[in-house]
Amino acid sequence: MEQQANRSIGCTVKQCVHHCQSQNYCTLSQINVGTHETNPTKVECTDCNSFAPKM
Ligand code: SF4
């Protein structure tokens, strides 16, 4: 059963277990975004910390 897309959270990471798959949205009600840098300066510095790989 496909989970409901959350249209407030667009996402193209189809390798994530929380991705809607049929559309480019997350299925979680909220996500946590963080950074792996001490001083983030560009988009590549940010991470979705709610990501979980598919089995
Ligand atoms: S948890 Fe993050 S990476 Fe995974 S589908 Fe949602 S927004 Fe995308």
Side-chain angles (χ1 to χ4, degrees):
M1 187 180 78
E2 186 171 284
Q3 292 177 281
Q4 190 73 33
N6 180 348
R7 293 178 195 284
S8 296
I9 307 176
C11 180
T12 59
V13 186
K14 292 192 170 177
Q15 295 79 8
C16 179
V17 71
H18 301 302
H19 194 273
C20 181
Q21 299 305 315
S22 61
Q23 297 167 286
N24 282 330
Y25 293 106
C26 185
T27 58
L28 296 177
S29 57
Q30 64 94 211
I31 61 167
N32 293 309
V33 176
T35 183
H36 51 273
E37 305 283 348
T38 49
N39 182 29
T41 55
K42 52 191 178 187
V43 68
E44 291 88 344
C45 300
T46 63
D47 306 301
C48 177
N49 286 334
S50 300
F51 172 85
K54 287 199 227 169
M55 288 298 137

